[in-house]
Amino acid sequence: MSIRVRFAPSPTGYLHLGGARTALFNWLFAKRKGGTFILRIEDTDKVRSTDEAVLAIIRGLEWLGMNWDEGPKITIDQHKVVIEEVGKHKPYFQMKRLELYRKYAEKLIEDGKAYRCYCLPEELEEMRKKASQEKRPPKYDGRCRSLIGGDENRYIDEGRKPVVRFKTPQEGVTEFEDIVRGKVSFQNNLLDDFVMLKSSGSPIYNFAVVVDDHEMEISHVIRGDDHISNTPRQILLYEALGWKKPQFAHVPMILGSDGSRLSKRHGATSLEYYENEGYLPEAMVNYLALLGWATEDSQQIFDIEELKEKFSLERCAKSAAIFDLQKLLWMNGEYIRKMKPDELTTEALPFIIKENLVQGDTDEEVRQWVENVLTEAISLEQEKIKLLKDIPYLISYMLKEDLENEDYEEEVKEKVLKVSGVKQILSDCRDRLVKLEDFSEEKIEKEVRSYAKESDKKTGKVFHPIRVAVSGRTRGPGLFALLSFLGKEKVLKRIDYTIKNFL
RNA sequence: GGCGCCAUCGUCUAGUCUGGUUUAGGACGCUGCCCUCUCAAGGCAGAGAUCACGGGUUCAAAUCCCGUUGGCGCUACCA
């Protein structure tokens, strides 16, 4: 039997971290087993579902590099976004499948396994209120289970629109073997006759999933463990319809720092936010994979291929995981450090553009500049970059032609420059640097070091003022690489500027 | 309230099924030292877990059994 899994978000907002992690586990499982990964949109909540959310979900999955074999895909046609459905079980939007749910609901009614219920919302509310007063569980009492023709006709004449309820067996136990949790069982008499079809004709989650998972030949249902309590209802439906059940795997949820369900209160939860901050999709995938899954040796860094190879549901944790931004940040730094300079530059470019740091008038000029200047500047700072977003600030002084007063950090002027002897050091070094024909890292280092030695100064005493004079900051790349990168002209200009204005 | 799921350093987790090899291992974060022109990175060291609690079983329990507590979830014409 072929492996088919699905990610089935409801498009009520951006792609959530928890959703992304669930999608990832499904995708990895499919990849590992050579199976099919399907995207299905559960948009039966008409009020909260939006097209933008569908787009955000699709974009998020694409950003992370998870490709799906069946489901809606986005294509751009003459600058217009077009959603095209791909796969043998289309459509993949539940609102386009209403006929199907109605058909199976009808079948269950005919088989005497479901019935129409004409109770009004107010009546149900009343029922629940009474139940809670009498300290009984708020369970629908099944009063419409065996409506006789006359009563039913009366309701219809009143204009009531019925819902369809499932006739939940009131005896026995429903159990299933969960791949991550083992055996889970529920007493049937605790379940009530839940609604399958709303009076509007659209299905309720528990019914729609079953119909779609069956129709789409889903072999493994991998989802958050908030669905564990829904599973018996779904199993009862599979049995009533005479369908083969899929295997279930309930993976632990992702929680916020205080241990409660991850929400805006805990900071950003949308994948898009992390993209905009300059996290790399590879780092995100790696981090998310480790939330609820680990190998025996607790390996931390996995590339995608390795993940596809090693992932297994059996090794998933059972307990919920708290999202830890610190660790994600560390991991992002790890991935940034591993990148080739030109790759990193490509990723950084949108952030550079956003800060208006791009130089060059024609495309060709820009290309040259990126290749000759930008890439070099970024790689000087590569080892300390944690977020792509931080790059513009880190290298801004390297890209500017001239530094101005505000480019020099205030406290730095006081602490480093306005120290006795600094003026002498800077002008001495200037005199030596000006004579250098070859402004290479090695030559500069040799020259500056020998100055320090000859004038009997500690290297730091000499290096530090130069760094500040040339960058306006106390932190930065190795000094000689930096000087060489800037070039003789800029270095001399900046030293002169510093001497003239701050000393 | 009822039912279900879960419970190892602050956090992610390994170890639990198949009890002894564990003075409970790794990673993030934290502290210190080394390297060093700064910041990082790297190296080394350290603090940090009465394995939620209480009972049992056993020569031996983080590991098996029972109970308790806590967290989360479901209990909607939300998904």
Side-chain angles (χ1 to χ4, degrees):
Chain A
M1 190 197 162
S2 60
I3 304 287
R4 292 172 59 83
V5 297
R6 80 320 191 258
F7 174 53
S10 62
T12 54
Y14 45 68
L15 181 51
H16 193 267
L17 287 171
R21 205 281 315 264
T22 301
L24 177 63
F25 280 13
N26 272 283
W27 182 75
L28 289 173
F29 181 76
K31 292 297 155 191
R32 168 79 211 268
K33 304 274 191 183
T36 304
F37 178 53
I38 296 156
L39 174 63
R40 180 176 74 222
I41 307 295
E42 310 217 325
D43 55 353
T44 56
D45 183 346
K46 270 182 271 188
V47 183
R48 295 191 301 150
S49 298
T50 65
D51 290 347
E52 297 79 69
V54 173
L55 255 29
I57 288 164
I58 288 178
R59 279 216 50 234
L61 294 176
E62 281 178 345
W63 180 63
L64 288 178
M66 291 186 242
N67 53 310
W68 51 103
D69 307 292
E70 298 177 21
K73 307 225 179 178
I74 288 184
T75 49
I76 307 287
D77 183 29
Q78 293 173 333
H79 304 290
K80 268 197 72 183
V81 178
V82 182
I83 292 181
E84 186 193 356
E85 303 219 39
V86 178
K88 57 180 172 179
H89 296 292
K90 67 185 175 189
Y92 292 89
F93 288 82
Q94 290 186 325
M95 284 308 271
K96 295 187 193 162
R97 303 168 64 80
L98 297 180
E99 206 43 54
L100 205 55
Y101 311 123
R102 182 149 36 192
K103 181 177 102 189
Y104 288 118
E106 207 58 51
K107 180 177 183 296
L108 285 175
I109 292 173
E110 274 168 34
D111 292 351
K113 291 172 175 167
Y115 59 95
R116 294 196 175 78
C117 165
Y118 294 84
C119 294
L120 264 13
E122 306 84 70
E123 292 172 336
L124 295 172
E125 188 48 45
E126 184 61 29
M127 212 185 291
R128 271 192 289 269
K129 235 171 82 185
K130 203 170 158 212
S132 85
Q133 272 166 10
E134 292 166 17
K135 294 202 162 81
R136 284 184 292 109
K139 203 177 133 181
Y140 177 70
D141 62 9
R143 61 175 66 161
C144 291
R145 261 194 181 208
S146 42
L147 238 35
I148 41 175
D151 289 337
E152 182 157 12
N153 286 334
R154 205 182 67 235
Y155 285 139
I156 294 170
D157 289 346
E158 279 177 31
R160 293 194 186 193
K161 286 250 198 291
V163 300
V164 177
R165 285 184 185 271
F166 182 64
K167 211 179 266 183
T168 306
Q170 289 301 300
E171 69 294 322
V173 171
T174 296
E175 49 186 31
F176 62 98
E177 191 69 24
D178 190 285
I179 297 174
V180 344
R181 295 167 198 267
K183 192 189 222 164
V184 182
S185 73
F186 295 81
Q187 213 74 58
N188 289 157
N189 60 17
L190 266 8
L191 269 26
D192 67 357
D193 290 353
F194 58 89
V195 174
M196 294 161 41
L197 240 39
K198 304 179 202 174
S199 53
S200 66
S202 56
I204 277 302
Y205 167 75
N206 279 310
F207 182 52
V209 235
V210 169
V211 171
D212 287 337
D213 285 341
H214 171 259
E215 287 283 317
M216 295 178 185
E217 304 173 83
I218 300 301
S219 63
H220 299 256
V221 171
I222 304 166
R223 65 197 355 171
D225 72 12
D226 46 339
H227 286 301
I228 229 173
S229 306
N230 283 321
T231 309
R233 290 180 246 275
Q234 293 167 21
I235 288 179
L236 257 11
L237 247 12
Y238 277 102
E239 287 170 352
L241 288 158
W243 292 340
K244 187 175 188 308
K245 286 167 282 193
Q247 298 246 79
F248 293 97
H250 288 97
V251 300
M253 310 231 303
I254 299 176
L255 271 24
S257 47
D258 60 354
S260 68
R261 206 175 184 140
L262 194 60
S263 72
K264 306 100 234 149
R265 298 199 335 273
H266 302 107
T269 57
S270 78
L271 209 55
E272 201 175 19
Y273 167 84
Y274 292 90
E275 181 179 0
N276 293 336
E277 283 294 285
Y279 287 88
L280 299 171
E282 297 81 3
M284 204 71 205
V285 162
N286 193 154
Y287 177 69
L288 253 19
L290 253 24
L291 241 33
W293 174 80
T295 52
E296 194 170 359
D297 59 0
S298 291
Q299 181 181 339
Q300 300 294 314
I301 304 292
F302 297 84
D303 63 43
I304 302 273
E305 289 310 313
E306 212 174 358
L307 241 26
K308 287 184 195 168
E309 208 173 289
K310 296 186 173 172
F311 180 79
S312 82
L313 291 172
E314 286 76 11
R315 287 204 60 88
C316 281
K318 296 180 177 66
S319 53
I322 290 173
F323 181 76
D324 180 10
L325 195 62
Q326 293 262 45
K327 186 160 179 180
L328 207 212
L329 201 59
W330 162 77
M331 195 163 278
N332 207 49
E334 289 286 303
Y335 275 85
I336 285 178
R337 255 169 262 126
K338 280 201 302 195
M339 289 177 101
K340 295 202 184 71
D342 58 320
E343 288 171 353
L344 178 55
T345 303
T346 305
E347 295 301 323
L349 205 48
F351 295 86
I352 304 289
I353 292 169
K354 208 162 142 197
E355 297 299 322
N356 292 318
L357 291 171
V358 177
Q359 288 171 19
D361 292 322
T362 63
D363 285 357
E364 179 54 21
E365 274 175 33
V366 170
R367 199 191 61 75
Q368 290 266 341
W369 172 79
V370 167
E371 195 173 307
N372 300 328
V373 181
L374 184 62
T375 304
E376 178 68 16
I378 292 176
S379 67
L380 285 173
E381 286 289 271
Q382 181 162 2
E383 61 192 7
K384 76 165 79 70
I385 300 168
K386 289 246 192 302
L387 295 174
L388 297 175
K389 191 183 78 171
D390 296 340
I391 295 177
Y393 172 75
L394 252 17
I395 63 169
S396 60
Y397 70 90
M398 298 187 215
L399 302 180
K400 284 186 179 167
E401 187 53 39
D402 295 305
L403 252 35
E404 288 157 30
N405 188 34
E406 67 257 31
D407 292 315
Y408 289 80
E409 294 169 354
E410 265 325 303
E411 49 164 337
V412 156
K413 293 181 201 163
E414 295 297 323
K415 273 189 175 164
V416 182
L417 297 176
K418 290 181 181 155
V419 169
S420 68
V422 162
K423 190 170 186 176
Q424 191 61 48
I425 291 169
L426 285 179
S427 64
D428 286 350
C429 287
R430 196 219 123 94
D431 292 344
R432 286 180 173 237
L433 291 173
V434 79
K435 283 184 230 146
L436 281 181
E437 289 293 324
D438 174 10
F439 213 64
S440 68
E441 191 178 335
E442 296 74 25
K443 287 281 166 35
I444 297 168
E445 175 158 14
K446 204 173 148 204
E447 198 56 40
V448 178
R449 278 192 190 279
S450 63
Y451 165 73
K453 190 158 188 194
E454 286 160 26
S455 59
D456 197 29
K457 291 183 173 65
K458 278 183 144 172
T459 52
K461 281 273 180 230
V462 177
F463 296 174
H464 213 43
I466 299 177
R467 168 188 306 289
V468 171
V470 123
S471 71
R473 304 177 188 177
T474 55
R475 330 166 124 193
L479 182 63
F480 313 110
L482 175 62
L483 295 180
S484 176
F485 167 81
L486 288 170
K488 190 165 163 180
E489 193 195 330
K490 275 191 205 167
V491 168
L492 296 180
K493 237 181 359 182
R494 291 179 184 189
I495 291 177
D496 289 342
Y497 180 86
T498 301
I499 292 174
K500 180 163 171 258
N501 292 284
F502 306 132
L503 302 177

